[in-house]
Every structure is written in C-alpha cells, then in structure tokens.
Amino acid sequence: MAAWGERLAGVRGVLLDISGVLYDGGAGGGAPIAGSVEAVARLKQSQLKVRFCTNESQKSREELVRLLRRLGFDISEGEVTAPAPAACQILKERGLRPHLLIHDGLRSEFDQIDVSNPNCVVLADAGEGLSYQNMNKAFQVLMELEKPVLVSLGKGRYYKETSGLMLDVGAYMKALEYACGIKAEVVGKPSPEFFKSALQAMGLEAHQAIMIGDDIVVDVGGAQRCGMRALQVRTGKFRPGDEHHPEVKADGYVDNLAEAVDLLLQHADK
Amino acid sequence: MAAWGERLAGVRGVLLDISGVLYDGGAGGGAPIAGSVEAVARLKQSQLKVRFCTNESQKSREELVRLLRRLGFDISEGEVTAPAPAACQILKERGLRPHLLIHDGLRSEFDQIDVSNPNCVVLADAGEGLSYQNMNKAFQVLMELEKPVLVSLGKGRYYKETSGLMLDVGAYMKALEYACGIKAEVVGKPSPEFFKSALQAMGLEAHQAIMIGDDIVVDVGGAQRCGMRALQVRTGKFRPGDEHHPEVKADGYVDNLAEAVDLLLQHADK
C-alpha cells in the first residue's frame, strides 16, 4: 500500500461519522471513545475543514449535539449533516408535504415543513411507533397517490441496544416497498446525494475530502463511490474481518480517531 | 382456443378457491356469490372429486367452515387445504418448534404443535398483532438461530376491507427477510408444495385436476406451474385486464362458479 503521504495528499477536509467514532451509544447517553474529544479539538485548530456526517434518525440534531457537548466534544448543530435536515431540504425543493412516520424525538426537525394534505411519506426508525396501525396509515397514504414517493431516513437492517438487537428502518422500508410496488428514496449514508450535501456544506470537491467511519460498507464504501477517500477506525462496529471485506477496501485502517488525526495533521494537504 | 371438450378432457377433480369464488368477504361475514351454493352442491353429486384450496390465514378452518355453512355451503373441515394446517405438517415433518406471530383466530390450528424453545418463526397476517415489539421478538428469535427458518403463511401484499386497503403478511415477510438476510418459505398458494398437498389429499395427479379461482397469478398461474389446468372466474378480485395478463393465460374464463360447473359436468372426464 502507498505511503500515508501519498494516500492523504491534497486532503483539505474531513467528514467524521459520530456513533462508533466519537462515542459509543448506550444507556444514559454513552461514553466518548478514548482520545476522540482531543482529536476533534486538534482537527478544528488545524487548516483542515471539519464536518460531522451521521445517520442518526431517532434524535434531532439539537438533542444529539447536546449529548456530545456534555461528553466534551466541540460541536455545533450547523456542523452536522444528518438525514432529517437533508430530507427537509428535498421536501422543500420538490414541494413535497410528508406524512411523517418518525420518532417523536425527531419531530422538531420537521417544524418548518408543511404536513397538510400529504403527497409523500417520510419513514424513519420510529421504534414502537412502527405499529401495524401506523404502518397501515403510511401504506394507505402511499396507495392514494398517483406517484407514491417514499423517503426513508437510512436503510439499516438492525442496530444493537443493551436490551438486544433491534429492527431498524430498512426492514420497514422494505415492507412498504413490497406492498406498494415502489422503490424508496434513501436519505442518509451511503446515498451519494447525502455525502455530496456534506461536501457542499464544506465547500469542497470529493477528491479534497476524506471520510472517517466505523462502517466498512456505509461509511467507507459509500464515501469512495462518491470519489472521496475513506479511513476505517477500529472502534464502534468495526470487526477484524472488515479489513478483508470482499468488495470494499479502505484507503487506510487506523486504531481510532486519534490515530487518524495524527496521520492527517502530518500528511494532509502537503 | 380449443373447444371446451378438449380443454377439460380427463379432468377428474376440482380445486375451488373460497374467497371471491364461493363468497365475498365483508363485515358481518359476507355473502355467497350468486349460484355458488348450488354449484358446489352439483359438483359434490357428480363423479368429480372436490376440494377447497384457500390462503385464509386470519381464521382457523373451523371458523371459516362455520361461516360458509351458515351461508349455505356443503363443506367440512376435512375438505379444506389451508396454509396453517399445511404449515403444521411441515413443522412436524422437520421437527420445527415455531415462535408464532399470528392472529389469535388462527392459534387453535397450532394446538398440537410444540412451541417450546423455538427453532423457527411462523408468520401470518396478524393484523394489529404485527406491532414493533412482536416483530422485534420474531426478529430476535431468528437472529439467535444458527440457520434461521421463517415460514410465511402466504405472501400477499395487501387486501381490501370495508375500511380500506390493509397491509398483508407479505410486507412483514419482506421486512424480516431483509433484516435477517434470509429467504422465507411461503406456505400457501402459489407455492407448488401447497397445491401438491391438495392434490395428494384428493388422490389425483396434477394433469387430472383443475383449479378454479379469482386470482390470475396466485390461483391460475400457480396451479398451471404445477401442471394443473385452471379457470378464472369473473367474480371476486377479477379485473377485465386479467384476460390479457402478460404472463398468465387461464385455460378458460367463466362468469362465475356456476358456469364453470356447467362446463365441467358437460365435458370433464369424457
């Protein structure tokens, strides 16, 4: 593999995944990953542009940022690219008025959106809100539309909580896709539009930016398909097998965000 | 198209779909389709063997038969091929102990089945029972198995009730398939095994039997793929476009069950 200097040449901005890179979620809010608080601070003091890019769709950005600041991170809402605000932009651009099947914790993100007389459905990980009655209502809304539009905030299969594995939004997206005979529009990683909106917010081209994440497919593969470079950290949901993934090869594997930042500050934009 | 005599030659048995052929469901139990009560009676007085073949999976056979007898039909439980009993046979043959995610109305069909320490999931149209909590429990059962087995009673996308369209079991089957990365085993029409079990119960070979149904894909296409012949009735969910379906062509289209029986009694087994 090429030397780090070559692999990181010309990098002017960094996209950071949040869960599994900055902190590990869990009961009571979770805990920062060792060295990550300082690593973010050092990045921000450098010439590199920094942005956060997450698929979190149960919490609003406000709630997520409050949690991270409590853990010691230097982060503000305006620095976060998340599915809900990206979906709001799409809704506004296309004159879409959503029927929302989402978690109550996310509802404030849609405060400025017209939800009267819906002409699309926005689906997110709504937990217990994904009842038969709520799913059927979303289904009926879609079936009444001439051109049904289903926007899904991510397409994860499941995630892990202390109580065990939990069905994620992707499963319910598949249910509605099959019932309606349609294909959902996914907003969030690994969608190229989502990465592009983060790049746009940084004012960078894809080849000038690098993604740092713990998910080999969603973070690394997704960013690379957009023309970005990507590092995988060995924290969060990383598994040793990821370094021999059959389809995705990261531009580098690092123990944690702190090591990634060491390398970037040494080699990037040289 | 060949004359009816040719098309029906050698038919020795008839498989009848129930909903949309015998009766139309609805609030208060529904109503028989004109001429169908007499048509079933005439078939039973003939030399032809008769069996009922349904995808009903909210009601037990007992409840379904009670409803049909109240409407005037000559039918008994032993004459009905339905997904739940077929699933029970599969469970017994393969030593499977199901976690049941089904409607309470269907639970009695599984009275003789060991449901301790489950090593598979049986999914049916459970209506309101398809809550996030119940779906997640089924998902967790599957994910704990080395070889997850998901048995789905049918794979319908949706059905119609007086209150509107309702999500059917197929949507939830797709959700679990995606989340677990598996393929469900579908018990019910159009599964070939399901049609074969009905043929076996009649003691007939596929070429000796004809299916009569209102669904061009599930009834007609499914039966034909098994080597049976099939008629579509212009009742129930029949739509004029079905007679020009791009993939499935029935061996004949008839106005209703009464006309089908007229033709069969005149031409079959000659």
Side-chain angles (χ1 to χ4, degrees):
Chain A
M1 200 179 248
W4 281 108
E6 194 174 320
R7 281 184 268 164
L8 300 178
V11 166
R12 293 186 48 212
V14 183
L15 273 180
L16 298 178
D17 180 26
I18 293 180
S19 177
V21 176
L22 268 52
Y23 83 120
D24 280 321
I33 289 168
S36 286
V37 169
E38 299 74 20
V40 170
R42 286 162 64 212
L43 266 184
K44 289 195 148 187
Q45 288 155 12
S46 77
Q47 301 290 314
L48 292 166
K49 295 188 178 184
V50 181
R51 193 164 180 85
F52 303 90
C53 186
T54 178
N55 265 7
E56 174 64 54
S57 77
Q58 274 208 358
K59 295 181 192 71
S60 67
R61 272 184 307 184
E62 188 184 344
E63 197 181 331
L64 178 63
V65 163
R66 192 162 47 224
L67 164 66
L68 289 167
R69 291 176 76 94
R70 206 167 54 221
L71 296 178
F73 288 99
D74 174 5
I75 183 171
S76 63
E77 277 185 61
E79 296 171 313
V80 177
T81 293
C88 286
Q89 201 182 327
I90 290 171
L91 296 171
K92 282 177 191 162
E93 282 169 9
R94 289 162 55 185
L96 292 170
R97 300 177 306 278
H99 171 84
L100 297 172
L101 179 41
I102 63 174
H103 199 280
D104 281 340
L106 197 66
R107 218 161 277 273
S108 63
E109 294 277 15
F110 293 88
D111 275 352
Q112 304 303 315
I113 298 291
D114 179 6
V115 295
S116 66
N117 187 22
N119 58 5
C120 77
V121 166
V122 169
L123 176 69
D125 175 18
E128 299 284 341
L130 294 164
S131 64
Y132 181 80
Q133 201 179 354
N134 287 348
M135 279 289 286
N136 209 51
K137 179 63 192 161
F139 164 68
Q140 290 176 342
V141 168
L142 288 168
M143 292 297 277
E144 276 160 23
L145 299 172
E146 206 178 326
K147 285 190 175 180
V149 173
L150 172 60
V151 176
S152 183
L153 304 194
K155 58 172 184 176
R157 291 164 57 201
Y158 57 88
Y159 54 92
K160 199 172 176 176
E161 283 204 345
T162 44
S163 58
L165 299 181
M166 307 295 285
L167 281 169
D168 199 358
V169 62
Y172 287 87
M173 176 192 88
K174 289 288 174 184
L176 290 176
E177 282 187 342
Y178 177 73
C180 301
I182 60 172
K183 194 88 184 141
E185 302 180 26
V186 178
V187 177
K189 299 176 286 185
S191 153
E193 291 76 14
F194 190 70
F195 283 114
K196 281 175 198 159
S197 73
L199 288 170
Q200 201 173 15
M202 286 199 291
L204 294 181
E205 301 290 323
H207 70 273
Q208 300 172 310
I210 193 161
M211 173 79 207
I212 300 176
D214 64 335
D215 190 311
I216 185 71
V217 172
V218 167
D219 294 320
V220 175
Q224 289 178 335
R225 269 204 311 281
C226 275
M228 298 169 63
R229 280 166 278 185
L231 305 181
Q232 188 181 17
V233 289
R234 297 191 186 97
T235 55
K237 69 172 78 163
F238 167 85
R239 289 162 156 244
D242 292 349
E243 298 193 35
H244 313 282
H245 192 278
E247 283 154 36
V248 183
K249 184 165 185 56
D251 293 279
Y253 302 88
V254 291
D255 282 345
N256 47 41
L257 181 60
E259 188 188 352
V261 170
D262 283 343
L263 291 164
L264 281 163
L265 295 185
Q266 203 180 333
H267 298 292
D269 202 14
K270 294 280 166 74
Chain B
M1 199 179 248
W4 282 108
E6 195 173 320
R7 280 185 269 161
L8 301 179
V11 167
R12 293 187 48 212
V14 184
L15 273 180
L16 299 177
D17 179 26
I18 292 180
S19 176
V21 175
L22 268 52
Y23 83 119
D24 280 322
I33 289 169
S36 286
V37 169
E38 299 74 22
V40 170
R42 285 161 65 211
L43 267 185
K44 289 196 147 187
Q45 288 155 10
S46 76
Q47 300 290 314
L48 292 165
K49 294 187 178 185
V50 181
R51 193 164 180 85
F52 304 90
C53 186
T54 178
N55 265 9
E56 173 65 52
S57 76
Q58 275 210 358
K59 296 182 191 72
S60 66
R61 273 184 305 183
E62 188 184 345
E63 197 181 331
L64 179 63
V65 162
R66 193 163 47 225
L67 164 66
L68 291 167
R69 291 176 76 96
R70 207 168 54 221
L71 297 177
F73 288 99
D74 176 4
I75 183 171
S76 61
E77 277 185 63
E79 295 170 317
V80 178
T81 293
C88 287
Q89 201 182 326
I90 290 170
L91 297 171
K92 283 177 192 164
E93 282 169 8
R94 289 163 55 185
L96 292 170
R97 299 177 307 275
H99 171 85
L100 298 171
L101 179 41
I102 63 174
H103 199 282
D104 282 339
L106 196 66
R107 218 160 277 272
S108 62
E109 294 277 16
F110 293 87
D111 276 350
Q112 304 303 315
I113 299 291
D114 179 5
V115 294
S116 65
N117 187 21
N119 58 6
C120 77
V121 166
V122 169
L123 176 70
D125 175 18
E128 300 284 342
L130 293 164
S131 65
Y132 181 80
Q133 200 180 354
N134 287 346
M135 279 289 286
N136 210 50
K137 177 63 191 161
F139 164 68
Q140 290 177 341
V141 168
L142 288 169
M143 292 296 277
E144 277 160 24
L145 298 173
E146 206 180 326
K147 285 191 173 178
V149 174
L150 172 60
V151 175
S152 183
L153 303 195
K155 59 172 184 176
R157 292 163 56 199
Y158 58 88
Y159 54 92
K160 200 172 176 176
E161 282 203 347
T162 45
S163 58
L165 298 182
M166 307 294 284
L167 281 170
D168 200 357
V169 62
Y172 287 86
M173 177 192 85
K174 289 288 175 185
L176 290 176
E177 282 187 342
Y178 177 74
C180 301
I182 60 171
K183 194 88 185 140
E185 302 180 26
V186 178
V187 177
K189 300 177 285 185
S191 152
E193 290 77 14
F194 190 69
F195 283 114
K196 280 175 198 159
S197 74
L199 287 170
Q200 200 173 15
M202 288 199 290
L204 293 181
E205 301 288 324
H207 71 272
Q208 299 173 309
I210 194 162
M211 173 80 206
I212 301 175
D214 65 335
D215 189 311
I216 186 68
V217 171
V218 167
D219 293 322
V220 175
Q224 289 178 335
R225 268 204 311 282
C226 275
M228 298 169 62
R229 280 166 276 186
L231 304 180
Q232 188 182 17
V233 289
R234 297 192 185 94
T235 54
K237 70 173 75 161
F238 167 84
R239 289 161 156 245
D242 292 348
E243 299 193 35
H244 313 283
H245 193 278
E247 282 155 35
V248 182
K249 184 165 185 56
D251 294 277
Y253 303 88
V254 292
D255 283 344
N256 48 41
L257 181 60
E259 189 188 350
V261 170
D262 283 345
L263 291 163
L264 280 163
L265 297 184
Q266 205 180 332
H267 297 292
D269 202 14
K270 292 282 167 72

